[in-house]
Amino acid sequence: MPSTIVALAPSRTPAPLIASALFLSESIEGFDDGAAFLDRLTPGEVARLRDAGRSLALAPGQSVFEQGQPHSGIFLIEEGRVRVFYTGPSGRQITLAYWTPGHFIGGPSLTGGGLHQWSGEAIEPCRVTALSAATLQSLVRQMPNFALCLIEALEAKGRCYTAMAQMLGTRSVIERLAQLLLNLGDLYGRRVDGAVVIERRITHDEIAALVGSTRQWVTMMLRRFQDEGVLAVDRSCIRLKRPSRLQDIVQGEA
């Protein structure tokens, strides 16, 4: 059964869910910390790096790498967005992050060996540059600055997953939902008559996978928020009518 659409941008082509990276966090700070990790390289070094890799075109829904597969390198996102997610033994999934151009995916291992701990899937047409473990090692030897780039990118990833772990470990699911809605408002919202209007497409399934819940629960809670006048949902947008109420929930005043 197709997932329920919460909001669609009012245009012929639906607006993307994400213009920046997105993951579960108490604020939007640091969402794109790792997107410019190659900036310390010269244009010539960046071209050399990309020439050393393999360019791959991916269709929506196509796997970049799969949980449990042997780890053989990393992928630089050149175009499009990739969802990275973990699948539990029951088959239930939790979204770790949506990554956008400039970020690399496929870590944390860089030198090969072991198995992927999660999966990456294109959610729109994507182009990535695949860098094998052997290629990475060679580039690090040839370009010491590239080693610093990788360290900084890994630090950014560590902050991302720490933020997500803190949210999952210390916040209730309703607090996580309220925070996600506030974050979407901060990223994409515009003020209209005291409300925050979010014109981005997101499904109940996508929300559930981000906050660590089920689609049924998300549907129930969004309906409750609408009944209480906290938000309104129509075919064009999500309208946060009382963002202060969502902030109260985040602060534990449910």
Side-chain angles (χ1 to χ4, degrees), residues 39-63:
D39 279 3
R40 67 168 58 244
L41 299 182
T42 67
E45 288 173 326
V46 173
R48 185 174 169 187
L49 182 152
R50 290 195 167 100
D51 288 343
R54 290 185 303 119
S55 182
L56 305 174
L58 302 164
Q62 189 171 353
S63 175

Side-chain angles (χ1 to χ4, degrees), residues 35-232:
F37 79 104
L38 296 178
D39 279 3
R40 67 168 58 244
L41 299 182
T42 67
E45 288 173 326
V46 173
R48 185 174 169 187
L49 182 152
R50 290 195 167 100
D51 288 343
R54 290 185 303 119
S55 182
L56 305 174
L58 302 164
Q62 189 171 353
S63 175
V64 185
F65 57 90
E66 293 184 11
Q67 182 176 324
Q69 284 186 340
H71 194 289
S72 60
I74 64 172
F75 305 85
L76 307 181
I77 303 177
E78 308 287 359
E79 298 174 2
R81 298 169 295 135
V82 176
R83 172 183 173 241
V84 173
F85 59 95
Y86 173 79
T87 304
S90 67
R92 184 171 166 183
Q93 296 180 352
I94 182 165
T95 296
L96 305 179
Y98 288 91
W99 295 118
T100 47
H103 292 277
F104 87 81
I105 54 175
S109 177
L110 298 176
T111 57
L115 305 175
H116 282 291
Q117 300 300 303
W118 44 74
S119 301
E121 178 184 82
I123 57 172
E124 63 187 32
C126 287
R127 184 172 59 85
V128 302
T129 298
L131 296 169
S132 70
T135 298
L136 286 171
Q137 293 180 46
S138 176
L139 289 170
V140 165
R141 293 189 188 99
Q142 298 170 32
M143 298 186 294
N145 268 348
F146 182 47
L148 294 175
C149 292
L150 291 173
I151 290 171
E152 291 172 356
L154 285 172
E155 288 176 345
K157 286 284 195 293
R159 290 192 293 271
C160 153
Y161 294 130
T162 296
M164 185 190 71
Q166 289 172 339
M167 288 287 289
L168 291 172
T170 65
R171 299 286 190 167
S172 68
V173 64
I174 191 172
E175 290 170 354
R176 298 196 297 267
L177 174 60
Q179 185 66 70
L180 175 63
L181 291 170
L182 287 171
N183 286 351
L184 290 172
D186 288 341
L187 283 171
Y188 312 115
R190 56 185 178 87
R191 287 276 178 179
V192 179
D193 297 330
V196 178
V197 179
I198 305 168
E199 295 177 339
R200 284 296 181 267
R201 181 173 63 85
I202 187 165
T203 68
H204 290 195
D205 281 330
E206 289 166 335
I207 293 174
L210 276 164
V211 303
S213 185
T214 64
R215 181 175 63 84
Q216 292 79 6
W217 181 88
V218 168
T219 299
M220 178 186 71
M221 289 308 305
L222 291 176
R223 186 176 297 121
R224 172 182 148 184
F225 283 161
Q226 290 186 84
D227 291 343
E228 294 177 354
V230 176
L231 56 78

Side-chain angles (χ1 to χ4, degrees), residues 7-24:
L8 290 174
S11 60
R12 181 169 298 179
T13 302
L17 168 63
I18 308 160
S20 73
L22 179 67
F23 48 84
L24 193 61

Side-chain angles (χ1 to χ4, degrees), residues 172 174-175 224 245 248-254:
S172 68
I174 191 172
E175 290 170 354
R224 172 182 148 184
R245 176 57 184 145
D248 288 341
I249 293 172
V250 167
Q251 295 173 354
E253 303 172 15

